[in-house]
Each structure stands twice: as C-alpha cells, then as structure tokens.
Amino acid sequence: MLKRGMAAVAALALASSGAAAQETVKIGLVLPMTGQQASTGKQIEAAVKLYQAQHGNMVAGKKIEVILKDDTTVPDVTKRLATELVTNDKVAFLAGFGITPSAMSTAPVATQAKVPEIVMAAGTSSITEASPFIARTSFTLAQSSVPMAEWAFKNGIKKVVTLVSDYGPGIDAEKSFSDKFKADGGTIVENLRIPMRSPDFSPVLQKVADAKPDALFVFVPSGTGAQFVKQFVERGLDKSGVKLIATGDVTDDDQLNGMGDAVVGVINAHNYSANHNSALNKSFVEGFKKANSGMRPNFMAVGGYDGMHLIYEALKKTNGDTDGTKLMTAIKGMAWESPRGPISIDPDTRDIVQNIYIRKVQKVDGELYNVEFDTIANVKDPVKAAKK
Ligand code: DHB
C-alpha cells in the first residue's frame, strides 16, 4: 500500500513537471537543411539563431524552444515532419518552408491542428489561400515581377523572353511579368521554362540567343542563380546585347559575390538587399556575419528573422496563450520595421506587404551588391489584389 502511495506521489511529481513543461512554447522549424535548397535552410537557421541571441528565449513568461527538422527539400517529408511536430511535440507554431510544395503540403496539417504555419521562404501567391492558419514573412514572386516589368518598359525594353523554373513561383513570375509588360505595350517573344530540379540551361539559352530579344527576364530559386549566370556567360549571352533582368532571387546575396563581373549592371527587383541602407539592416548584417564566419545574409535570412519577430510579438499580444485562432488574430495587421524596410501582415490575406526595390548590381568596396535605386512602397501581393 505504502509502495502504491509512493508511486502515486511519483506520478504526481511527474505530472507537475509536465505542467512546467507546458510553460515552454515550441516552434517546429522545418527547413531544407540538405538537398537542392540547403542554402535556404542554412540562411534561415542562422537568422532564427541570431533573432534568439538578440531577443532572448523568454516571451510572455514562457520559454521558447525551436525544434529544427530537415525536410531534405522533399515536400512529403515536410508534411510528415510537420505532422509529427504537431502530434508528438505539441508545437504551437510550424515555421520555415523552403519551397512552395513544402509550404503547400503542410497547409492541411496547419488547418486541422489549428496551428499557425509561418512561411519564411516560399513565394507562390496561392500559398496563403491554402489554409487560414498560414501567414507569410517572405514575399511573392508577383510582388517583384510586376515592378520589374514596369521598369523594363519605361526604360526602353520592348521585346522580352522570359525564363523561369517550372513550378509555382516560376509560373507566377512568368505570368505576372508577362501580363504587366504586355499591358504596358511590350512584346513577350517567348515564355521558356526549365525543370526546378537539376536544371540545365543550355537548350533554353540557345533559344534566347536565336530570338535576340531586348532583354531576358529570369526567375530561378535561391541557390540556383550562380549556375544560371555561369551558363549565360559560357554561351556568350552577356556580350550578345541581350540585357539580363531578373527577380532578386537570381542575384541572391548568398551567391552574388561569386558571380563575377558578368553580373555588374544587372537590373533586378526584390524585397531585400544586404546593402539596404538603414541602421537596423547594418546591425543585422553585422550580427549575422559575425555569428556565421562572414556569411552574408540573403532574403531568406530576413524572412526567417521576421518570422521569429512575428511569432514573438504574437505571443506577447496573446499574453503567452498558444491558442492558434488567437495567435492568428494577433498576427493579422501586425506592422514593424524589418532589416528590409517597413513591413506588415495584410489582415485580409495574411500575406506580407513590403517595399520592392529596383536594384543594380554594382561593386561596393570591392564586393558585388544589389544597390537599390528606386522604391515601390508597400506592395501587396498583386495576384490577390487583382482578384478583389
Ligand atoms: C521559392 C523558392 C526560392 O528559393 C525562391 O527564391 C523563391 C520561391 C519557392 O519555392 O516558393
């Protein structure tokens, strides 16, 4: 009997340590740490760590614990890991999502569990429509492609070939660029697509050389730009008179410095440059480089950093309450200064509203940077805006 009594006491002690464990708020961070998009995972993991180093791991009296899982750039794995994080680890947030198919595969998990899914990287417009529990701190491809089209036509470019990765964000980039460019009076000579996985640019670049457009507009995902530029140069296209214009995914800060002089002068549109001129960005870049052996943060890092801010501030607003519906209410309409500039979460769509910058690749102190020279302020996702 006595033994039983002791067992009961032990069980109670266990239960109360369980209660203490509830004071921990867990974030399931699912990223491609290996596989094709590993650079995205590396950038976001570093940014999440930096955010926690700067802001601590206590929010509204609760300890924040980040559980990092590698989805190996495979969407089915993302979904399985997200399900396990919700079911076994009882995470209050799902976050990360390096590619569109991964963000999409997890949407039903977020909806069913009523757990906020914070998309820190992926950029297809429709992602936020896949679940009412999704909010995004990255970008949409239409946000950068429409301003790029507008700039191109205004600056004397009349005939364009587009070249995109053949999946969600590429198709959005192709359509939003082409629609805007044609509406302004330009001609789209051809829409070319290449596979997202292991792309070989040679066949399509031959087509570009034959078509001789004024400009080639390109989107490839983060981490693929250097390979594209290498083949563009190998084919002699940099000297052919075909101007290269792009979304900033191509002239990614993670790889830009290694792309060589061929990219000097390339005009592109995007949400973030490591060269962005603000006090907050300067300290962000400095802190990031210091903690990561000199690695330069890219737009993925900023999406991760801001995603953590969104999570911390939402928890502050709910006073530590992890009810998913209350957290989503807290997230809607939130506005703050990011290293990229002012941003907010559109309360109607849960998508990000941000400045888009027109930039030119230039040498600054011997290094290549995207130097911003024009700003389109507070851009909402054009695809969703057009549906209204
Ligand atoms: C996506 C991935 C990227 O690396 C990028 O630069 C843009 C979009 C995506 O899969 O949504």
Side-chain angles (χ1 to χ4, degrees):
M1 204 54 209
L2 189 63
K3 268 194 177 163
R4 258 211 207 153
M6 280 172 70
V9 170
L12 258 178
L14 266 180
S16 69
S17 78
Q22 276 172 12
E23 296 305 310
T24 299
V25 174
K26 294 179 185 169
I27 303 170
L29 183 64
V30 191
L31 289 170
M33 301 308 299
T34 56
Q36 182 168 312
Q37 297 308 115
S39 65
T40 297
K42 179 186 66 177
Q43 285 273 348
I44 293 180
E45 182 195 14
V48 166
K49 283 196 171 141
L50 178 66
Y51 191 88
Q52 291 208 291
Q54 290 174 339
H55 298 86
N57 62 358
M58 293 295 294
V59 179
K62 305 218 170 166
K63 184 164 179 263
I64 308 296
E65 183 191 345
V66 175
I67 306 174
L68 174 65
K69 299 282 180 189
D70 174 14
D71 69 15
T72 68
T73 324
V74 178
D76 289 348
V77 177
T78 320
K79 183 177 185 179
R80 177 173 58 74
L81 293 172
T83 307
E84 288 170 6
L85 284 161
V86 164
T87 319
N88 302 342
D89 299 293
K90 310 269 185 278
V91 296
F93 293 89
L94 291 163
F97 310 103
I99 53 171
T100 288
S102 291
M104 285 300 208
S105 74
T106 303
V109 180
T111 304
Q112 214 188 354
K114 297 189 168 28
V115 168
E117 175 181 338
I118 310 302
V119 176
M120 295 169 157
T124 301
S125 286
S126 59
I127 288 173
T128 45
E129 291 162 341
S131 167
F133 286 88
I134 292 181
R136 170 156 42 202
T137 56
S138 47
F139 52 87
T140 75
L141 269 301
Q143 277 180 325
S144 48
S145 302
V146 171
M148 190 65 254
E150 185 170 356
W151 184 91
F153 190 75
K154 269 194 193 147
N155 286 274
I157 293 169
K158 298 289 177 278
K159 286 195 301 180
V160 169
V161 171
T162 67
L163 170 54
V164 301
S165 285
D166 192 5
Y167 78 119
I171 292 160
D172 278 0
E174 175 188 285
K175 184 171 187 332
S176 50
F177 181 94
S178 301
D179 287 356
K180 175 63 178 162
F181 193 65
K182 286 190 280 191
D184 286 357
T187 303
I188 298 293
V189 182
E190 209 170 346
N191 290 130
L192 301 170
R193 296 180 185 177
I194 29 130
M196 185 248 179
R197 306 266 174 186
S198 315
D200 175 10
F201 297 100
S202 306
V204 283
L205 287 176
Q206 187 55 51
K207 288 191 184 170
V208 176
D210 295 343
K212 294 189 183 61
D214 298 331
L216 173 64
F217 167 74
V218 182
F219 161 78
V220 290
S222 183
T224 316
Q227 191 191 338
F228 163 75
V229 167
K230 186 166 172 276
Q231 294 195 14
F232 186 80
V233 173
E234 276 170 7
R235 295 242 142 211
L237 274 157
D238 57 324
K239 302 200 169 64
S240 69
V242 178
K243 282 199 186 74
L244 182 57
I245 55 177
T247 66
D249 309 75
V250 178
T251 55
D252 184 348
D253 268 302
D254 198 43
Q255 298 189 320
L256 181 62
N257 215 15
M259 289 185 192
D261 287 351
V263 287
V264 171
V266 169
I267 307 288
N268 64 91
H270 214 42
N271 62 343
Y272 177 69
S273 166
N275 185 247
H276 179 69
N277 189 9
S278 74
L280 179 63
N281 185 49
K282 287 204 170 103
S283 76
F284 170 72
V285 172
E286 201 177 299
F288 191 94
K289 281 184 163 175
K290 211 167 167 187
N292 297 285
S293 322
M295 177 166 76
R296 193 193 282 186
N298 71 356
F299 58 100
M300 294 303 189
V302 171
Y305 191 79
D306 290 330
M308 286 302 283
H309 179 91
L310 189 66
I311 289 170
Y312 272 44
E313 293 305 311
L315 281 169
K316 283 184 198 168
K317 272 196 178 176
T318 64
N319 232 335
D321 190 335
T322 53
D323 176 83
T325 306
K326 288 182 188 158
L327 288 170
M328 289 310 296
T329 304
I331 282 169
K332 290 175 193 171
M334 208 180 273
W336 70 102
E337 190 195 349
S338 154
R340 68 188 104 170
I343 63 175
S344 64
I345 303 297
D346 186 328
D348 298 329
T349 63
R350 292 160 277 102
D351 218 335
I352 187 157
V353 183
Q354 61 191 330
N355 293 350
I356 294 297
Y357 305 92
I358 309 292
R359 307 100 56 90
K360 185 179 192 169
V361 178
Q362 287 174 358
K363 270 210 173 124
V364 180
D365 298 332
E367 288 191 38
L368 294 178
Y369 279 99
N370 292 293
V371 178
E372 296 165 352
F373 65 87
D374 201 2
T375 305
I376 300 96
N378 301 321
V379 179
K380 287 189 181 192
D381 175 39
V383 175
K384 281 186 277 289
K387 281 186 192 163
K388 284 197 172 169

